[in-house]
Amino acid sequence: MQTVQMESRLGTLGQSQEAFGRSCFTDIQHKYLSVWLSLDYLCDIMYIMDIIASFHTGFLQEGILVTDRNQIARNYVFSAKFRWDILSILPTDFLYFRFGIHTPSVRVNRFLHFHRLFEAFDRTETRIPYPNAFRICKLMAYVFVVIHWNSCIYFALSGYVGFGKDAWVYPNISDPEFGRLVRQYLYSFYFSTLILTTVGDIPSPMQEEEYIFMVVDFLIAVLGFATIMGSISSVISNMNSADEAFYPNYDQVKLYLKMYKVNRSLKKKVIAWHQHLQINKKLTNENQILENLPEKLRVEVAVSVHMSTMSKVQIFQNCEKSLLEELVLKLKPQVYSPGEYVCKKGDIGREMYIIKEGKLAVVADDGVTQFAVLGEGNYFGEISILNIKGNTSGNRRTANIKSIGYSDLFCLSKEDLGDALTEYPDAKALLEEKGREILLKMNKLDEALAAELVAKQQELDNKMRRLEVNLDSLQTKLARLLAELESSAVKMWQRIKRLEWEISLWEDETPDRAVEGK
C-alpha cells in the first residue's frame, strides 16, 4: 500500500513535467502520442489506487494510531486532501473531443495532486539515515523542475514571437539542424540555465515580450540563488551541529592547548584521540544525546545497545532485570589512547570497567612486562566498588592496567551502583556474596576481620534500633505533654474570660447602688 502511494506521489512530479513539455514542444506530443496516452492513463490508475489506499491508511489521534476503517474513511473524506485528490482525477480528458487529442493541457488538473509529493518528501526525509543528502537531492530536483518549466516557456515564447526572428529567440526550425526535437529541448534548457544562473553570455532581448521574460527570470534567479545558498548553508549547519552533538569540540581543546603552551608530543596525542573518535564514530556523551527521550524509551534504547555487554559481567549475572536496566543507563563510555593507564596499583578504586572494544594489558610496575591481556567482554575493578567487609586490599587497585591500542570501555562508578542498589537490598546482598566468593578465590578475604566487622555492624544496627525505639517513646511523651499543655492553656483562657465577664457585671452594678443610696 505504501509502495502504491509513493509511486503515485512521484508520478505527480513526472506528469507535471511531461504535460508542460508536451504543450510547448508539440513534436513530442505528435510523434509519441500512444506512449503519452498510455502513461497518462497509467498515472490515472495510480491516482485512483492512491485514493483507495488512503481509505485504508491509519492516522494518529492524540498519539494513538487509529485503525478503525469507519473512522479512517470519515477522517479522509472530511479532509482537504480528499477534495484535492477528487479534483485531480476529474475526467477532463473528455475535453479532447472539443479541443483535439493533441491538447495535453486539458489534463492540467492532475497537477492538483502535488500535495502528495511534498508529503512523500517529508516522510522520506524523516525515515532515511542520510537526511542531509536527501535535502540536497530534493533541492537539485526543484532546480531542475524550474529550469525545465522555464525552458518550455522560452520555446513557446519563441514560437509566439517567431522562430529566428532575432538573435534572442530560438533559431528557425526550418533549419534541419535546429528542427530536431533533441536540439530544441537541449538548446532551450541550456538558454534557461544561463539566465537562471545569471552566468550571462546571452543575446540581448529585442521585443517587449522578451524583456518581460528576462526581467521575470532575473527576479526568479535572484530568489532562487538566495534559496539555494540558504538551503545549502542550513544543511552544512545541521551537519556541523550533528557532529558537535556527537563528538567533543576539538577547536576549544586546541585553543586551550595553544593558550597554555602544552608541549608538542601531548598535542599530538590529543589530536590523535580526537581523530580516532571521528574516524571510527566513537561516542563519549551518549547520556546527553538521549536525555530528551522519555525515560522508558531511553531505557529501551540503552538496553538494546548495551545489555549484552552488561550481562557478561559475572557479578551482575542472575540479578533482577530492572536493576540491570537502571545500571545500563549509568554506564559512561570512555576511550583510552595507546599506552595510557586505565588504573595503577595502589590507586583508590571508585569505578569498575567493562571492555567493549580493544585490548588492555596487566603490566608490572615497569610498565613493560605483561602478565595478561584483557580483550573484548572482559571486566575489572568490580570488587573495588563493592564495600565487602574483610577485603584485605580495601578499595585500592591491585594491578596496573594499560591500554595497548585505542580501547573503548564502559565505566560504572561506585556512587551510581550505590544509588541503584538502594532500592534493591536483595540484589545488594547477592552482589556482596558473589564478591566474597571472588575474594576467597584470590585469597584476599580475611574472614576473621569480616566476622568482626559484621559483629560491629550488627552491634551498631542494634544501637540504632534502640535509639529509634527510645526516640519513638520520647516523641510519644512529648506529644502527650504538648496535648496537656494545650488543654491547660484552653482552660486558663476560659477562666480568664469568665473573670472578665464577672468584673464587667460588678462594675455595672456599683453605680446603680450609689444612685439608690442618695
Side-chain angles (χ1 to χ4, degrees), residues 313-316 351-353 378-388 397 412 417 431 435 438 442:
V313 182
Q314 182 180 356
I315 61 173
F316 294 133
E351 56 277 314
M352 68 166 292
Y353 297 93
N378 292 125
Y379 55 92
F380 57 92
E382 71 277 10
I383 302 301
S384 62
I385 65 175
L386 295 172
N387 292 322
I388 299 176
R397 302 294 189 189
L412 179 62
L417 179 63
L431 291 177
I438 295 173
M442 299 171 59

Side-chain angles (χ1 to χ4, degrees), residues 189-429:
F189 195 90
Y190 171 74
F191 193 88
S192 296
T193 304
L194 291 179
I195 299 175
L196 295 178
T197 55
T198 64
V199 173
D201 193 24
I202 54 177
S204 300
M206 301 294 182
Q207 308 294 328
E208 294 179 356
E209 297 85 351
E210 298 170 2
Y211 279 108
I212 294 174
F213 181 85
M214 290 292 292
V215 169
V216 173
D217 269 18
F218 281 143
L219 293 176
I220 294 174
V222 172
L223 178 61
F225 183 78
T227 302
I228 292 171
M229 293 302 297
S231 300
I232 293 178
S233 299
S234 176
V235 169
I236 295 174
S237 176
N238 290 337
M239 294 173 64
N240 293 335
S241 300
D243 288 340
E244 292 176 1
F246 279 88
Y247 307 110
N249 190 346
Y250 173 62
D251 293 335
Q252 295 180 356
V253 178
K254 186 165 58 175
L255 181 61
Y256 176 87
L257 298 177
K258 182 179 180 181
M259 184 182 299
Y260 288 97
K261 299 179 180 179
V262 177
N263 62 75
R264 185 180 298 273
S265 61
L266 186 54
K267 282 184 179 179
K268 290 182 178 180
K269 194 174 182 179
V270 173
I271 293 172
W273 184 81
H274 276 273
Q275 289 179 346
H276 173 76
L277 290 186
Q278 291 201 345
I279 292 174
N280 296 280
K281 307 301 181 184
K282 305 295 183 183
L283 305 181
T284 58
N285 56 344
E286 291 186 9
N287 293 333
Q288 290 82 358
I289 294 172
L290 301 176
E291 65 181 356
N292 293 324
L293 292 177
E295 183 178 359
K296 294 296 183 183
L297 188 57
R298 188 168 68 251
V299 170
E300 290 184 17
V301 173
V303 166
S304 66
V305 175
H306 302 312
M307 181 59 80
S308 59
T309 303
M310 178 64 75
S311 61
K312 294 177 182 178
V313 182
Q314 182 180 356
I315 61 173
F316 294 133
Q317 292 176 355
N318 300 324
C319 287
E320 297 180 48
K321 183 179 179 181
S322 56
L323 172 62
L324 294 180
E325 291 177 351
E326 188 169 346
L327 291 177
V328 162
L329 288 176
K330 299 180 182 296
L331 291 178
K332 298 176 182 177
Q334 293 185 357
V335 179
Y336 287 87
S337 303
E340 185 177 0
Y341 280 92
V342 179
C343 62
K344 291 186 176 181
K345 185 186 298 184
D347 291 346
I348 297 176
R350 296 186 177 90
E351 56 277 314
M352 68 166 292
Y353 297 93
I354 305 171
I355 303 175
K356 179 184 179 183
E357 186 178 334
K359 292 184 179 180
L360 289 86
V362 182
V363 298
D365 294 337
D366 59 7
V368 178
T369 307
Q370 295 186 3
F371 299 122
V373 176
L374 305 177
E376 181 180 351
N378 292 125
Y379 55 92
F380 57 92
E382 71 277 10
I383 302 301
S384 62
I385 65 175
L386 295 172
N387 292 322
I388 299 176
K389 298 175 178 62
N391 185 358
T392 56
S393 60
N395 61 345
R396 299 278 181 175
R397 302 294 189 189
T398 59
N400 301 310
I401 309 294
K402 185 171 69 171
S403 178
I404 296 176
Y406 282 101
S407 303
D408 295 351
L409 279 69
F410 285 123
C411 173
L412 179 62
S413 68
K414 185 176 184 178
E415 291 76 13
D416 289 338
L417 179 63
D419 294 341
L421 292 178
T422 302
E423 305 296 332
Y424 300 92
D426 294 337
K428 181 178 180 180

Side-chain angles (χ1 to χ4, degrees), residues 23 48 146 156 161 427 455 486 492:
S23 298
I48 295 173
V146 171
V161 174
E486 184 178 0
M492 183 67 69

Side-chain angles (χ1 to χ4, degrees), residues 18-19 21-37 40 96 100-105 107 181:
E18 55 90 3
R22 289 157 56 191
S23 298
C24 298
F25 296 92
T26 55
D27 287 348
I28 300 178
Q29 175 71 14
H30 289 80
K31 290 182 179 181
Y32 306 102
L33 178 61
S34 59
V35 176
W36 292 124
L37 291 178
D40 284 345
Y96 280 143
I101 194 65
H102 296 295
T103 314
S105 56
R107 292 174 52 84
L181 181 60

Side-chain angles (χ1 to χ4, degrees), residues 364-508:
D365 294 337
D366 59 7
V368 178
T369 307
Q370 295 186 3
F371 299 122
V373 176
L374 305 177
E376 181 180 351
N378 292 125
Y379 55 92
F380 57 92
E382 71 277 10
I383 302 301
S384 62
I385 65 175
L386 295 172
N387 292 322
I388 299 176
K389 298 175 178 62
N391 185 358
T392 56
S393 60
N395 61 345
R396 299 278 181 175
R397 302 294 189 189
T398 59
N400 301 310
I401 309 294
K402 185 171 69 171
S403 178
I404 296 176
Y406 282 101
S407 303
D408 295 351
L409 279 69
F410 285 123
C411 173
L412 179 62
S413 68
K414 185 176 184 178
E415 291 76 13
D416 289 338
L417 179 63
D419 294 341
L421 292 178
T422 302
E423 305 296 332
Y424 300 92
D426 294 337
K428 181 178 180 180
L430 178 62
L431 291 177
E432 290 178 351
E433 181 61 30
K434 288 184 178 180
R436 280 192 290 270
E437 293 177 0
I438 295 173
L439 289 174
L440 280 174
K441 294 178 181 179
M442 299 171 59
N443 294 323
K444 291 185 178 181
L445 181 64
D446 188 342
E447 296 186 1
L449 179 60
E452 181 181 351
L453 293 174
V454 169
K456 289 183 179 180
Q457 184 66 37
Q458 290 179 349
E459 183 180 355
L460 182 61
D461 292 341
N462 292 332
K463 289 181 179 179
M464 290 295 296
R465 281 193 291 270
R466 287 197 296 269
L467 286 174
E468 290 177 356
V469 172
N470 293 334
L471 182 61
D472 290 340
S473 177
L474 288 175
Q475 287 179 340
T476 302
K477 292 179 180 180
L478 180 60
R480 290 177 180 175
L481 182 61
L482 290 175
E484 292 176 0
L485 181 61
E486 184 178 0
S487 177
S488 299
V490 171
K491 292 179 179 179
M492 183 67 69
W493 180 78
Q494 291 176 348
R495 290 183 63 185
I496 291 172
K497 286 293 185 181
R498 183 174 180 81
L499 287 174
E500 290 177 349
W501 179 69
E502 291 179 353
I503 290 171
S504 63
L505 291 178
W506 181 76
E507 289 177 348
D508 292 339

